[in-house]
Amino acid sequence: MDAATIILVLVIVTALAFDFTNGFHDTANAMAASISTGALAPKVAVGLSAVLNLVGAFLSVEVALTVSNAVIKIQDKSGAPRPELLTGGGQALLLIVLAGLVGGIVWNLATWLLGLPSSSSHALLGGLTGAGAAGLGFAGVKWTGDGTKLDGVVGKILLPSLLSPVVAMAVAFVGCWLVHKLTNSVMHRLEERYFRWGQIGSASLVSIAHGTNDAQKTMGVMTLALIASGHWDRTDAVPIWVKISAALAIALGTYIGGWRIIRTLGKGLVDITPRQGLSSDGATAAVLLASSHLGFALSTTHVATGSVLGGGLGRGTHVRWATAGRMVVAWALTFPIAAGMGAVMWWIGHTLGGVAGALLVFAILCAASGWMYRRSRLQHVGAHNVTDDWGAPAAGSPEQSAAPTKTPTR
């Protein structure tokens, strides 16, 4: 194989690895509340979410080819790569994409290790922005749109980061308050299982929406790499094997279950009841579906977390604001740290050059991933203990916030 083909293979493998981390990182968005309330057993919940993510991934590829174009100027409006980036089999573009993917994966794994929900989409776009700025200069970054729609870093990242949790919190607050107001007088005739069935339905909608939205990003990156290297020439379609592999990667990641994040979102913010869980999941699904219809790109993570908080406030239950504060810090750091990592990875790859540079970047990703996985085993969280009582973090060990505390036997 020539140099461009080897780098292309590395990009494809890394893109599927990002899709896998996206799956287990974001499982909590759909299923944390259902698992916490007992509406679904943990393994059943992640299995259902995996199937629905797989289905959702095949529903739409409408914007797949222009995902990266939202933040960096490496394509025209049709999705075709810029001609100046295609020399040498597209190695310049491939290195930008590879570095950006590594930046997104490293941040996904770091926040997973700490048990903190953060936006995988923002991590990917941050990594691409950093790599694009390093490779093309700051002029190569699309900071704002053309005025006709929300676009660029401001429109796709900053504004949605601020607005989506607030909107979801408000919707969930009203929804939870109304549900409790309407059912308090008849709860003696109702059973909690009715609300749990409602939770399953709304959580399923969130899973489908997540699969539809997030799998497109990986499909787009893979197709862009294939076009740049000359292995695909259509900007109006995605190769079928790309659709299948991306769908399977996100579904497999979802089935693995990001138990550390599920635990934080399901137990670390508020103690969720079935009525509150129904309101929170319903608010998440409603906000995501409405935003998709209106053309707004919102983070599933931000919406889901805002919904859980809003549901807790609407019920009047205790909110663990320390945990919420750590989440907000993670959200604020997602884009800049992923961008910084993408820029560093581009610099390393570009300095060494060619296949050697790309291989070194890939090796750094493997080493960082292996180290974080080993760290995660020191405080293992899985299906067997994800719903245990929430314990206070141990001093000096931030990842201990995800560590379960066993419920005392009575």
mmCIF file of all heavy atoms in Angstrom, residues 36 116-117 169 262-273 276 305 308-313 315-328 386-393 401-403 405 407:
data_model
loop_
_atom_site.group_PDB
_atom_site.id
_atom_site.type_symbol
_atom_site.label_atom_id
_atom_site.label_comp_id
_atom_site.label_asym_id
_atom_site.label_seq_id
_atom_site.Cartn_x
_atom_site.Cartn_y
_atom_site.Cartn_z
ATOM 1 N N SER A 36 -32.064 3.767 36.695
ATOM 2 C CA SER A 36 -32.108 4.231 38.086
ATOM 3 C C SER A 36 -33.433 3.912 38.760
ATOM 4 O O SER A 36 -33.473 3.543 39.937
ATOM 5 C CB SER A 36 -31.853 5.743 38.136
ATOM 6 O OG SER A 36 -31.949 6.236 39.449
ATOM 7 N N LEU A 116 -18.136 11.595 34.043
ATOM 8 C CA LEU A 116 -18.788 12.869 33.761
ATOM 9 C C LEU A 116 -19.402 12.867 32.361
ATOM 10 O O LEU A 116 -18.692 12.653 31.373
ATOM 11 C CB LEU A 116 -17.780 14.017 33.859
ATOM 12 C CG LEU A 116 -17.202 14.272 35.249
ATOM 13 C CD1 LEU A 116 -16.103 15.328 35.181
ATOM 14 C CD2 LEU A 116 -18.302 14.704 36.213
ATOM 15 N N PRO A 117 -20.704 13.098 32.243
ATOM 16 C CA PRO A 117 -21.301 13.211 30.910
ATOM 17 C C PRO A 117 -20.838 14.477 30.213
ATOM 18 O O PRO A 117 -20.850 15.559 30.804
ATOM 19 C CB PRO A 117 -22.811 13.260 31.204
ATOM 20 C CG PRO A 117 -22.916 13.740 32.606
ATOM 21 C CD PRO A 117 -21.691 13.271 33.324
ATOM 22 N N MET A 169 -34.037 21.920 30.962
ATOM 23 C CA MET A 169 -34.350 22.008 32.383
ATOM 24 C C MET A 169 -35.730 22.630 32.593
ATOM 25 O O MET A 169 -36.521 22.159 33.422
ATOM 26 C CB MET A 169 -33.281 22.841 33.103
ATOM 27 C CG MET A 169 -33.370 22.792 34.623
ATOM 28 S SD MET A 169 -32.127 23.833 35.445
ATOM 29 C CE MET A 169 -30.628 23.098 34.814
ATOM 30 N N ILE A 262 -23.522 6.426 33.280
ATOM 31 C CA ILE A 262 -24.899 6.062 33.632
ATOM 32 C C ILE A 262 -25.114 6.239 35.132
ATOM 33 O O ILE A 262 -26.147 6.766 35.574
ATOM 34 C CB ILE A 262 -25.202 4.604 33.216
ATOM 35 C CG1 ILE A 262 -25.266 4.483 31.692
ATOM 36 C CG2 ILE A 262 -26.510 4.124 33.843
ATOM 37 C CD1 ILE A 262 -25.402 3.061 31.199
ATOM 38 N N ARG A 263 -24.137 5.839 35.904
ATOM 39 C CA ARG A 263 -24.244 5.962 37.358
ATOM 40 C C ARG A 263 -24.345 7.423 37.786
ATOM 41 O O ARG A 263 -25.181 7.784 38.618
ATOM 42 C CB ARG A 263 -23.041 5.289 38.023
ATOM 43 C CG ARG A 263 -23.035 5.484 39.506
ATOM 44 C CD ARG A 263 -22.104 4.542 40.222
ATOM 45 N NE ARG A 263 -22.089 4.894 41.639
ATOM 46 C CZ ARG A 263 -23.078 4.654 42.479
ATOM 47 N NH1 ARG A 263 -24.172 4.064 42.046
ATOM 48 N NH2 ARG A 263 -22.997 5.010 43.749
ATOM 49 N N THR A 264 -23.489 8.276 37.215
ATOM 50 C CA THR A 264 -23.506 9.687 37.597
ATOM 51 C C THR A 264 -24.827 10.345 37.239
ATOM 52 O O THR A 264 -25.429 11.056 38.047
ATOM 53 C CB THR A 264 -22.357 10.438 36.905
ATOM 54 O OG1 THR A 264 -21.110 9.865 37.298
ATOM 55 C CG2 THR A 264 -22.357 11.912 37.278
ATOM 56 N N LEU A 265 -25.303 10.106 36.020
ATOM 57 C CA LEU A 265 -26.521 10.766 35.566
ATOM 58 C C LEU A 265 -27.763 10.187 36.244
ATOM 59 O O LEU A 265 -28.733 10.909 36.511
ATOM 60 C CB LEU A 265 -26.636 10.642 34.039
ATOM 61 C CG LEU A 265 -27.604 11.593 33.333
ATOM 62 C CD1 LEU A 265 -27.290 13.042 33.672
ATOM 63 C CD2 LEU A 265 -27.536 11.384 31.820
ATOM 64 N N GLY A 266 -27.726 8.880 36.532
ATOM 65 C CA GLY A 266 -28.898 8.241 37.127
ATOM 66 C C GLY A 266 -28.974 8.359 38.637
ATOM 67 O O GLY A 266 -30.066 8.361 39.210
ATOM 68 N N LYS A 267 -27.809 8.438 39.306
ATOM 69 C CA LYS A 267 -27.796 8.449 40.774
ATOM 70 C C LYS A 267 -27.106 9.664 41.380
ATOM 71 O O LYS A 267 -27.344 10.004 42.529
ATOM 72 C CB LYS A 267 -27.081 7.187 41.299
ATOM 73 C CG LYS A 267 -27.681 5.881 40.829
ATOM 74 C CD LYS A 267 -29.078 5.653 41.374
ATOM 75 C CE LYS A 267 -29.066 5.337 42.856
ATOM 76 N NZ LYS A 267 -30.392 4.941 43.365
ATOM 77 N N GLY A 268 -26.213 10.308 40.631
ATOM 78 C CA GLY A 268 -25.368 11.342 41.215
ATOM 79 C C GLY A 268 -25.966 12.724 41.255
ATOM 80 O O GLY A 268 -25.494 13.581 42.004
ATOM 81 N N LEU A 269 -26.999 12.993 40.447
ATOM 82 C CA LEU A 269 -27.610 14.320 40.433
ATOM 83 C C LEU A 269 -28.803 14.412 41.379
ATOM 84 O O LEU A 269 -28.858 15.276 42.247
ATOM 85 C CB LEU A 269 -28.056 14.675 39.008
ATOM 86 C CG LEU A 269 -26.977 15.148 38.045
ATOM 87 C CD1 LEU A 269 -27.572 15.361 36.658
ATOM 88 C CD2 LEU A 269 -26.333 16.435 38.539
ATOM 89 N N VAL A 270 -29.766 13.543 41.168
ATOM 90 C CA VAL A 270 -30.965 13.505 42.011
ATOM 91 C C VAL A 270 -31.378 12.050 42.179
ATOM 92 O O VAL A 270 -30.956 11.175 41.416
ATOM 93 C CB VAL A 270 -32.147 14.303 41.385
ATOM 94 C CG1 VAL A 270 -31.816 15.774 41.274
ATOM 95 C CG2 VAL A 270 -32.510 13.734 40.021
ATOM 96 N N ASP A 271 -32.189 11.774 43.183
ATOM 97 C CA ASP A 271 -32.773 10.446 43.354
ATOM 98 C C ASP A 271 -34.053 10.406 42.528
ATOM 99 O O ASP A 271 -35.062 11.017 42.881
ATOM 100 C CB ASP A 271 -33.061 10.167 44.832
ATOM 101 C CG ASP A 271 -31.778 10.110 45.646
ATOM 102 O OD1 ASP A 271 -30.806 9.506 45.164
ATOM 103 O OD2 ASP A 271 -31.757 10.686 46.755
ATOM 104 N N ILE A 272 -33.999 9.687 41.414
ATOM 105 C CA ILE A 272 -35.070 9.733 40.420
ATOM 106 C C ILE A 272 -36.181 8.737 40.774
ATOM 107 O O ILE A 272 -35.918 7.570 41.070
ATOM 108 C CB ILE A 272 -34.519 9.417 39.015
ATOM 109 C CG1 ILE A 272 -33.399 10.400 38.663
ATOM 110 C CG2 ILE A 272 -35.614 9.471 37.972
ATOM 111 C CD1 ILE A 272 -32.706 10.087 37.350
ATOM 112 N N THR A 273 -37.434 9.211 40.734
ATOM 113 C CA THR A 273 -38.609 8.351 40.867
ATOM 114 C C THR A 273 -39.168 8.068 39.475
ATOM 115 O O THR A 273 -38.841 8.768 38.514
ATOM 116 C CB THR A 273 -39.692 9.037 41.709
ATOM 117 O OG1 THR A 273 -40.171 10.188 40.999
ATOM 118 C CG2 THR A 273 -39.143 9.462 43.063
ATOM 119 N N GLN A 276 -40.821 11.135 37.975
ATOM 120 C CA GLN A 276 -39.810 12.115 37.584
ATOM 121 C C GLN A 276 -39.028 11.628 36.371
ATOM 122 O O GLN A 276 -38.694 12.404 35.473
ATOM 123 C CB GLN A 276 -38.859 12.344 38.759
ATOM 124 C CG GLN A 276 -37.731 13.321 38.468
ATOM 125 C CD GLN A 276 -36.727 13.333 39.607
ATOM 126 O OE1 GLN A 276 -37.049 12.963 40.730
ATOM 127 N NE2 GLN A 276 -35.517 13.740 39.307
ATOM 128 N N THR A 305 -28.992 15.900 30.595
ATOM 129 C CA THR A 305 -28.604 16.332 31.943
ATOM 130 C C THR A 305 -29.509 17.454 32.439
ATOM 131 O O THR A 305 -29.935 17.461 33.606
ATOM 132 C CB THR A 305 -27.138 16.807 31.944
ATOM 133 O OG1 THR A 305 -26.310 15.773 31.410
ATOM 134 C CG2 THR A 305 -26.676 17.144 33.350
ATOM 135 N N VAL A 308 -32.796 15.931 33.590
ATOM 136 C CA VAL A 308 -32.734 15.279 34.895
ATOM 137 C C VAL A 308 -32.760 16.327 36.009
ATOM 138 O O VAL A 308 -33.476 16.185 37.012
ATOM 139 C CB VAL A 308 -31.477 14.400 35.006
ATOM 140 C CG1 VAL A 308 -31.289 13.907 36.446
ATOM 141 C CG2 VAL A 308 -31.582 13.200 34.070
ATOM 142 N N LEU A 309 -31.994 17.389 35.839
ATOM 143 C CA LEU A 309 -31.995 18.462 36.836
ATOM 144 C C LEU A 309 -33.370 19.130 36.942
ATOM 145 O O LEU A 309 -33.869 19.384 38.040
ATOM 146 C CB LEU A 309 -30.935 19.514 36.477
ATOM 147 C CG LEU A 309 -29.491 19.174 36.820
ATOM 148 C CD1 LEU A 309 -28.549 20.222 36.238
ATOM 149 C CD2 LEU A 309 -29.299 19.054 38.318
ATOM 150 N N GLY A 310 -33.967 19.421 35.784
ATOM 151 C CA GLY A 310 -35.285 20.046 35.778
ATOM 152 C C GLY A 310 -36.333 19.172 36.424
ATOM 153 O O GLY A 310 -37.207 19.654 37.172
ATOM 154 N N GLY A 311 -36.252 17.856 36.157
ATOM 155 C CA GLY A 311 -37.194 16.933 36.788
ATOM 156 C C GLY A 311 -37.036 16.910 38.297
ATOM 157 O O GLY A 311 -38.017 16.868 39.040
ATOM 158 N N GLY A 312 -35.791 16.974 38.764
ATOM 159 C CA GLY A 312 -35.554 17.002 40.201
ATOM 160 C C GLY A 312 -36.087 18.261 40.846
ATOM 161 O O GLY A 312 -36.706 18.226 41.919
ATOM 162 N N LEU A 313 -35.877 19.390 40.188
ATOM 163 C CA LEU A 313 -36.379 20.658 40.727
ATOM 164 C C LEU A 313 -37.905 20.693 40.698
ATOM 165 O O LEU A 313 -38.544 21.222 41.611
ATOM 166 C CB LEU A 313 -35.803 21.826 39.927
ATOM 167 C CG LEU A 313 -34.289 22.046 40.064
ATOM 168 C CD1 LEU A 313 -33.810 23.098 39.066
ATOM 169 C CD2 LEU A 313 -33.931 22.457 41.481
ATOM 170 N N ARG A 315 -39.904 18.238 41.007
ATOM 171 C CA ARG A 315 -40.427 17.376 42.066
ATOM 172 C C ARG A 315 -40.114 17.937 43.443
ATOM 173 O O ARG A 315 -40.718 17.559 44.444
ATOM 174 C CB ARG A 315 -39.787 15.986 41.913
ATOM 175 C CG ARG A 315 -40.134 14.988 42.995
ATOM 176 C CD ARG A 315 -39.274 13.741 42.852
ATOM 177 N NE ARG A 315 -39.301 12.952 44.077
ATOM 178 C CZ ARG A 315 -38.302 12.200 44.503
ATOM 179 N NH1 ARG A 315 -37.180 12.151 43.809
ATOM 180 N NH2 ARG A 315 -38.407 11.508 45.621
ATOM 181 N N GLY A 316 -39.152 18.872 43.493
ATOM 182 C CA GLY A 316 -38.761 19.445 44.779
ATOM 183 C C GLY A 316 -37.807 18.577 45.553
ATOM 184 O O GLY A 316 -37.690 18.696 46.772
ATOM 185 N N THR A 317 -37.095 17.699 44.863
ATOM 186 C CA THR A 317 -36.166 16.802 45.534
ATOM 187 C C THR A 317 -34.793 17.442 45.672
ATOM 188 O O THR A 317 -34.492 18.470 45.060
ATOM 189 C CB THR A 317 -36.038 15.481 44.744
ATOM 190 O OG1 THR A 317 -35.344 14.517 45.523
ATOM 191 C CG2 THR A 317 -35.277 15.706 43.439
ATOM 192 N N HIS A 318 -33.940 16.813 46.476
ATOM 193 C CA HIS A 318 -32.590 17.326 46.695
ATOM 194 C C HIS A 318 -31.738 17.138 45.443
ATOM 195 O O HIS A 318 -31.718 16.057 44.852
ATOM 196 C CB HIS A 318 -31.950 16.587 47.872
ATOM 197 C CG HIS A 318 -30.488 16.889 48.049
ATOM 198 N ND1 HIS A 318 -30.033 18.137 48.438
ATOM 199 C CD2 HIS A 318 -29.387 16.111 47.872
ATOM 200 C CE1 HIS A 318 -28.716 18.113 48.509
ATOM 201 N NE2 HIS A 318 -28.301 16.898 48.175
ATOM 202 N N VAL A 319 -31.042 18.179 45.037
ATOM 203 C CA VAL A 319 -30.140 18.138 43.895
ATOM 204 C C VAL A 319 -28.707 18.203 44.402
ATOM 205 O O VAL A 319 -28.378 19.041 45.249
ATOM 206 C CB VAL A 319 -30.403 19.319 42.926
ATOM 207 C CG1 VAL A 319 -29.371 19.312 41.791
ATOM 208 C CG2 VAL A 319 -31.811 19.233 42.352
ATOM 209 N N ARG A 320 -27.861 17.325 43.926
ATOM 210 C CA ARG A 320 -26.449 17.323 44.313
ATOM 211 C C ARG A 320 -25.705 18.311 43.415
ATOM 212 O O ARG A 320 -25.184 17.958 42.354
ATOM 213 C CB ARG A 320 -25.875 15.919 44.214
ATOM 214 C CG ARG A 320 -26.572 14.926 45.147
ATOM 215 C CD ARG A 320 -25.980 13.525 45.040
ATOM 216 N NE ARG A 320 -26.673 12.615 45.942
ATOM 217 C CZ ARG A 320 -27.719 11.885 45.613
ATOM 218 N NH1 ARG A 320 -28.228 11.956 44.387
ATOM 219 N NH2 ARG A 320 -28.295 11.073 46.490
ATOM 220 N N TRP A 321 -25.647 19.544 43.864
ATOM 221 C CA TRP A 321 -25.106 20.617 43.033
ATOM 222 C C TRP A 321 -23.604 20.485 42.825
ATOM 223 O O TRP A 321 -23.060 21.001 41.841
ATOM 224 C CB TRP A 321 -25.444 21.975 43.646
ATOM 225 C CG TRP A 321 -26.909 22.295 43.562
ATOM 226 C CD1 TRP A 321 -27.808 22.331 44.582
ATOM 227 C CD2 TRP A 321 -27.651 22.580 42.372
ATOM 228 N NE1 TRP A 321 -29.064 22.622 44.116
ATOM 229 C CE2 TRP A 321 -29.003 22.787 42.752
ATOM 230 C CE3 TRP A 321 -27.307 22.679 41.014
ATOM 231 C CZ2 TRP A 321 -30.004 23.094 41.845
ATOM 232 C CZ3 TRP A 321 -28.317 22.984 40.106
ATOM 233 C CH2 TRP A 321 -29.634 23.187 40.523
ATOM 234 N N ALA A 322 -22.912 19.808 43.730
ATOM 235 C CA ALA A 322 -21.475 19.604 43.538
ATOM 236 C C ALA A 322 -21.218 18.756 42.291
ATOM 237 O O ALA A 322 -20.321 19.056 41.483
ATOM 238 C CB ALA A 322 -20.863 18.937 44.770
ATOM 239 N N THR A 323 -22.023 17.707 42.123
ATOM 240 C CA THR A 323 -21.901 16.875 40.925
ATOM 241 C C THR A 323 -22.273 17.672 39.682
ATOM 242 O O THR A 323 -21.592 17.599 38.655
ATOM 243 C CB THR A 323 -22.808 15.642 41.041
ATOM 244 O OG1 THR A 323 -22.481 14.919 42.229
ATOM 245 C CG2 THR A 323 -22.639 14.729 39.831
ATOM 246 N N ALA A 324 -23.354 18.444 39.772
ATOM 247 C CA ALA A 324 -23.762 19.276 38.641
ATOM 248 C C ALA A 324 -22.669 20.266 38.276
ATOM 249 O O ALA A 324 -22.409 20.528 37.084
ATOM 250 C CB ALA A 324 -25.053 20.020 38.981
ATOM 251 N N GLY A 325 -22.000 20.824 39.276
ATOM 252 C CA GLY A 325 -20.924 21.768 39.012
ATOM 253 C C GLY A 325 -19.775 21.130 38.260
ATOM 254 O O GLY A 325 -19.196 21.740 37.341
ATOM 255 N N ARG A 326 -19.413 19.883 38.631
ATOM 256 C CA ARG A 326 -18.345 19.185 37.909
ATOM 257 C C ARG A 326 -18.739 18.941 36.462
ATOM 258 O O ARG A 326 -17.900 19.012 35.557
ATOM 259 C CB ARG A 326 -18.015 17.866 38.606
ATOM 260 C CG ARG A 326 -17.267 18.043 39.920
ATOM 261 C CD ARG A 326 -16.659 16.733 40.392
ATOM 262 N NE ARG A 326 -17.667 15.766 40.784
ATOM 263 C CZ ARG A 326 -18.179 15.664 42.003
ATOM 264 N NH1 ARG A 326 -17.803 16.515 42.942
ATOM 265 N NH2 ARG A 326 -19.069 14.738 42.281
ATOM 266 N N MET A 327 -20.028 18.647 36.238
ATOM 267 C CA MET A 327 -20.495 18.448 34.866
ATOM 268 C C MET A 327 -20.359 19.730 34.047
ATOM 269 O O MET A 327 -19.903 19.700 32.897
ATOM 270 C CB MET A 327 -21.959 18.002 34.868
ATOM 271 C CG MET A 327 -22.200 16.617 35.396
ATOM 272 S SD MET A 327 -23.964 16.215 35.282
ATOM 273 C CE MET A 327 -23.985 14.643 36.143
ATOM 274 N N VAL A 328 -20.750 20.848 34.623
ATOM 275 C CA VAL A 328 -20.675 22.118 33.918
ATOM 276 C C VAL A 328 -19.223 22.447 33.564
ATOM 277 O O VAL A 328 -18.923 22.923 32.464
ATOM 278 C CB VAL A 328 -21.303 23.253 34.750
ATOM 279 C CG1 VAL A 328 -21.051 24.606 34.103
ATOM 280 C CG2 VAL A 328 -22.802 23.010 34.913
ATOM 281 N N VAL A 386 -24.320 -0.477 39.297
ATOM 282 C CA VAL A 386 -24.564 0.866 38.767
ATOM 283 C C VAL A 386 -25.673 1.601 39.513
ATOM 284 O O VAL A 386 -25.707 2.837 39.526
ATOM 285 C CB VAL A 386 -24.882 0.793 37.246
ATOM 286 C CG1 VAL A 386 -26.250 0.155 37.010
ATOM 287 C CG2 VAL A 386 -24.804 2.161 36.591
ATOM 288 N N THR A 387 -26.572 0.874 40.179
ATOM 289 C CA THR A 387 -27.686 1.524 40.891
ATOM 290 C C THR A 387 -27.492 1.557 42.403
ATOM 291 O O THR A 387 -28.418 1.904 43.131
ATOM 292 C CB THR A 387 -29.021 0.814 40.570
ATOM 293 O OG1 THR A 387 -28.917 -0.566 40.950
ATOM 294 C CG2 THR A 387 -29.365 0.914 39.103
ATOM 295 N N ASP A 388 -26.296 1.220 42.875
ATOM 296 C CA ASP A 388 -26.041 1.301 44.319
ATOM 297 C C ASP A 388 -26.111 2.752 44.782
ATOM 298 O O ASP A 388 -25.932 3.683 44.000
ATOM 299 C CB ASP A 388 -24.663 0.723 44.659
ATOM 300 C CG ASP A 388 -24.630 -0.799 44.550
ATOM 301 O OD1 ASP A 388 -25.712 -1.402 44.460
ATOM 302 O OD2 ASP A 388 -23.526 -1.365 44.536
ATOM 303 N N ASP A 389 -26.309 2.938 46.075
ATOM 304 C CA ASP A 389 -26.418 4.284 46.636
ATOM 305 C C ASP A 389 -25.192 5.121 46.276
ATOM 306 O O ASP A 389 -24.061 4.633 46.266
ATOM 307 C CB ASP A 389 -26.561 4.228 48.163
ATOM 308 C CG ASP A 389 -27.955 3.792 48.577
ATOM 309 O OD1 ASP A 389 -28.852 3.786 47.720
ATOM 310 O OD2 ASP A 389 -28.125 3.456 49.769
ATOM 311 N N TRP A 390 -25.445 6.396 46.015
ATOM 312 C CA TRP A 390 -24.370 7.303 45.627
ATOM 313 C C TRP A 390 -23.495 7.623 46.837
ATOM 314 O O TRP A 390 -23.985 8.000 47.897
ATOM 315 C CB TRP A 390 -24.965 8.584 45.057
ATOM 316 C CG TRP A 390 -23.928 9.538 44.566
ATOM 317 C CD1 TRP A 390 -23.464 10.654 45.195
ATOM 318 C CD2 TRP A 390 -23.237 9.466 43.320
ATOM 319 N NE1 TRP A 390 -22.516 11.282 44.426
ATOM 320 C CE2 TRP A 390 -22.358 10.577 43.258
ATOM 321 C CE3 TRP A 390 -23.261 8.585 42.240
ATOM 322 C CZ2 TRP A 390 -21.524 10.813 42.167
ATOM 323 C CZ3 TRP A 390 -22.432 8.819 41.158
ATOM 324 C CH2 TRP A 390 -21.583 9.917 41.129
ATOM 325 N N GLY A 391 -22.175 7.481 46.684
ATOM 326 C CA GLY A 391 -21.253 7.752 47.780
ATOM 327 C C GLY A 391 -20.458 9.009 47.529
ATOM 328 O O GLY A 391 -20.270 9.432 46.388
ATOM 329 N N ALA A 392 -19.976 9.632 48.562
ATOM 330 C CA ALA A 392 -19.155 10.829 48.425
ATOM 331 C C ALA A 392 -17.816 10.457 47.828
ATOM 332 O O ALA A 392 -17.268 9.389 48.107
ATOM 333 C CB ALA A 392 -18.941 11.483 49.788
ATOM 334 N N PRO A 393 -17.224 11.333 46.971
ATOM 335 C CA PRO A 393 -15.933 11.043 46.371
ATOM 336 C C PRO A 393 -14.826 11.019 47.414
ATOM 337 O O PRO A 393 -14.839 11.779 48.370
ATOM 338 C CB PRO A 393 -15.724 12.197 45.376
ATOM 339 C CG PRO A 393 -16.595 13.296 45.881
ATOM 340 C CD PRO A 393 -17.761 12.632 46.524
ATOM 341 N N SER A 401 -15.757 9.774 42.277
ATOM 342 C CA SER A 401 -17.142 10.242 42.256
ATOM 343 C C SER A 401 -18.059 9.252 41.579
ATOM 344 O O SER A 401 -19.261 9.257 41.786
ATOM 345 C CB SER A 401 -17.237 11.599 41.560
ATOM 346 O OG SER A 401 -16.833 11.490 40.227
ATOM 347 N N ALA A 402 -17.472 8.377 40.728
ATOM 348 C CA ALA A 402 -18.286 7.374 40.038
ATOM 349 C C ALA A 402 -18.311 6.058 40.810
ATOM 350 O O ALA A 402 -18.978 5.132 40.415
ATOM 351 C CB ALA A 402 -17.745 7.129 38.624
ATOM 352 N N ALA A 403 -17.566 5.984 41.908
ATOM 353 C CA ALA A 403 -17.467 4.722 42.624
ATOM 354 C C ALA A 403 -18.724 4.472 43.447
ATOM 355 O O ALA A 403 -19.207 5.345 44.155
ATOM 356 C CB ALA A 403 -16.264 4.742 43.555
ATOM 357 N N THR A 405 -21.315 3.013 46.328
ATOM 358 C CA THR A 405 -21.345 2.675 47.736
ATOM 359 C C THR A 405 -22.483 1.698 47.954
ATOM 360 O O THR A 405 -23.620 1.981 47.578
ATOM 361 C CB THR A 405 -21.566 3.921 48.612
ATOM 362 O OG1 THR A 405 -20.490 4.836 48.379
ATOM 363 C CG2 THR A 405 -21.638 3.548 50.080
ATOM 364 N N THR A 407 -25.510 -0.373 49.282
ATOM 365 C CA THR A 407 -26.633 -0.105 50.180
ATOM 366 C C THR A 407 -26.562 -1.053 51.369
ATOM 367 O O THR A 407 -26.430 -2.276 51.185
ATOM 368 C CB THR A 407 -27.956 -0.328 49.431
ATOM 369 O OG1 THR A 407 -27.970 0.500 48.278
ATOM 370 C CG2 THR A 407 -29.143 0.006 50.322
#
